[in-house]
Amino acid sequence: MPSLSANPAFLVLADGTLFEGNSFGSRGLALGEVVFNTGMTGYQEVLTDPSYFGQLVTFTYPEIGNTGVNSEDQEALHPSVKGVIVREFAQSPSNWRCMQSFESWLEKEKVVGISGLDTRALVRHIRNFGSMNGVISTDGKSSPAQLLEKVRNSPTMEGLNLADEVTTEATYLWNSTCDVEFDKRIKPHQGSPYRVVAIDFGIKRSILDRLVSHGCEVTVVPSNSDISSVLQLSPEGVFFSNGPGDPSAVTGGIALAKQLIEEANDLPLFGICLGHQILGLALGGQTYKLAYGHRGLNHPCGTTGQLEITSQNHGFALDPKSLPEERVEVTHFNLNDKTVAGIAFRNRPIFGIQYHPEASPGPHDADHHFSRFVSLMQERR
């Protein structure tokens, strides 16, 4: 049974559905899109992933916080989510890496949480009716009717450029803490590193670490960077990162990708998640919003005869019919619903994948895509 609390809380969805539970974490009000993640592990990585900016994340795993929180599993300095929804949270974590409890961390980071509600019923509701805005209230100051009015007056995810909200303000060189000697997937790189410019639409630290482990020197630039500021860094490859919001609203990133494709003389380009969608949009393709998105660690992707179990976190997808067949090939599909999971340009060193090969959290099946990117740069040396 969920832990009892003297602090009641409400979750109100945009269609008027009301859930009652208990307050935990920070107290207050959190408004955002309600989504769910099906992973059984990695809650700290999920909550600090900038791709979740502006969302209320529901965990389907019944108890969250068992291993507490530590400083090594952060994907960014602070959580990006607006709120957390769980069935039950562990009040007494147990792990040798634990530095503080899950709840104390949420309190410190001012993240509002609600526990004790029926997360199975909530997930079924989202699956039936789609992701929608909602509000968590733990301060007791607003009635459900007032909360519903707030939700219905809030903007939906479609049309929102949230990448500009989470991007870096200044260019920086990533100094990775990972050690390739302890990474059995990678042989230590010999020779000078590959110069990579990463466009930050909400980049995860683990992606930067994987690039470094594969022999890259990564310079991270803001999402509004133009082609001249990118090329003056003399990149051997350009990486388009993951990020939150509606990809079609990231007009600056789309324009940059289009210019690089047309003017950068076969410069290798690699996109993950939002970056993958931006590459498709730069070709004139279109994206659409999924009913409830893909957020979890066990999504099968691939083509006939080749399969990868993948980690995913996205609410939009490329429309395969909108992609020009003479210029781009769909290389991977999500085998659950046949949505586009990977593209590659014909006769150009450019590709994107919809899923997360950095495996933080998640399986390692897709790590070879980093090697693929490096191989494209190596061919140009």
Side-chain angles (χ1 to χ4, degrees):
M1 292 294 293
S3 303
L4 297 177
S5 170
N7 300 303
F10 296 110
L11 169 66
V12 179
L13 303 182
D15 63 3
T17 304
L18 171 67
F19 291 87
E20 297 183 46
N22 305 316
S23 169
F24 82 108
S26 182
R27 304 296 188 262
L29 186 145
L31 182 65
E33 183 185 42
V34 181
V35 299
F36 62 87
N37 183 289
T38 60
M40 296 176 64
T41 186
Y43 55 83
Q44 187 178 351
E45 292 95 325
V46 167
L47 297 179
T48 54
D49 179 353
S51 295
Y52 281 102
F53 183 84
Q55 294 178 319
L56 309 179
V57 177
T58 307
F59 288 99
T60 62
Y61 193 71
E63 185 173 48
I64 300 297
N66 309 62
T67 56
V69 173
N70 66 78
S71 61
E72 298 176 356
D73 291 340
Q74 302 270 114
E75 291 297 339
L77 281 175
H78 305 284
S80 292
V81 300
K82 297 295 185 182
V84 183
I85 304 165
V86 302
R87 174 64 174 173
E88 185 172 4
F89 70 95
Q91 300 187 41
S92 301
S94 177
N95 186 273
W96 67 274
R97 298 169 70 231
C98 177
M99 301 177 69
Q100 65 183 120
S101 72
F102 182 51
E103 182 174 30
S104 65
W105 179 66
L106 293 179
E107 289 178 325
K108 176 184 176 183
E109 297 291 350
K110 295 181 169 42
V111 177
V112 175
I114 182 172
S115 67
L117 52 73
D118 189 343
T119 51
R120 292 174 299 178
L122 174 58
V123 170
R124 285 197 300 268
H125 189 84
I126 294 173
R127 288 184 61 185
N128 290 335
F129 300 102
S131 297
M132 64 187 77
N133 281 353
V135 60
I136 301 171
S137 175
T138 66
D139 57 14
K141 296 179 180 179
S142 302
S143 68
Q146 291 172 319
L147 295 172
L148 179 59
E149 184 178 4
K150 290 180 184 292
V151 174
R152 290 181 172 172
N153 288 331
S154 62
T156 61
M157 191 62 71
E158 291 177 286
L160 291 184
N161 177 2
L162 299 181
D164 288 351
E165 300 288 332
V166 298
T167 189
T168 179
E169 295 182 356
T171 297
Y172 64 92
L173 183 68
W174 178 249
N175 295 314
S176 174
T177 57
C178 67
D179 188 340
V180 294
E181 292 183 4
F182 293 96
D183 190 336
K184 302 305 181 183
R185 292 173 283 171
I186 303 299
K187 293 181 180 179
H189 176 69
Q190 302 296 324
S192 59
Y194 298 97
R195 298 184 306 277
V196 171
V197 171
I199 315 301
D200 178 13
F201 301 114
I203 199 165
K204 296 172 64 177
R205 287 179 170 181
S206 55
I207 290 177
L208 295 170
D209 282 347
R210 297 308 303 139
L211 287 168
V212 170
S213 290
H214 282 262
C216 300
E217 178 184 80
V218 187
T219 301
V220 184
V221 301
S223 62
N224 61 357
S225 298
D226 57 28
I227 188 170
S228 61
S229 62
V230 171
L231 294 183
Q232 73 180 7
L233 295 169
S234 301
E236 295 177 89
V238 177
F239 174 75
F240 287 77
S241 86
N242 62 294
D246 186 340
S248 66
V250 190
T251 53
I254 297 168
L256 172 62
K258 185 174 182 180
Q259 285 185 291
L260 288 171
I261 291 168
E262 295 175 350
E263 304 174 22
N265 298 321
D266 288 340
L267 183 69
L269 308 179
F270 174 28
I272 287 176
C273 205
L274 183 74
H276 147 88
Q277 296 163 350
I278 284 175
L279 290 176
L281 288 165
L283 278 180
Q286 297 178 345
T287 54
Y288 63 96
K289 195 173 191 302
L290 297 169
Y292 47 83
H294 300 159
R295 299 175 180 89
L297 311 181
N298 62 348
H299 290 257
C301 291
T303 54
T304 303
Q306 184 175 3
L307 175 67
E308 298 172 3
I309 302 301
T310 69
S311 174
Q312 300 203 10
N313 170 25
H314 63 105
F316 292 81
L318 283 171
D319 179 358
K321 297 180 181 179
S322 70
L323 297 171
E325 292 185 10
E326 70 280 5
R327 298 191 68 187
V328 65
E329 174 189 7
V330 177
T331 58
H332 297 74
F333 289 94
N334 185 308
L335 301 185
N336 287 332
D337 60 7
K338 307 304 180 184
T339 52
V340 175
I343 60 173
F345 286 40
R346 301 185 189 277
N347 303 315
R348 296 288 300 277
I350 302 171
F351 70 101
I353 54 174
Q354 185 63 79
Y355 42 94
H356 284 262
E358 71 279 0
S360 183
H364 296 165
D365 297 27
D367 188 75
H368 65 90
H369 290 292
F370 291 110
S371 298
R372 178 182 175 188
F373 183 43
V374 168
S375 296
L376 293 174
M377 292 187 286
Q378 187 176 30
E379 290 173 4
R380 296 180 77 248
R381 280 194 167 181

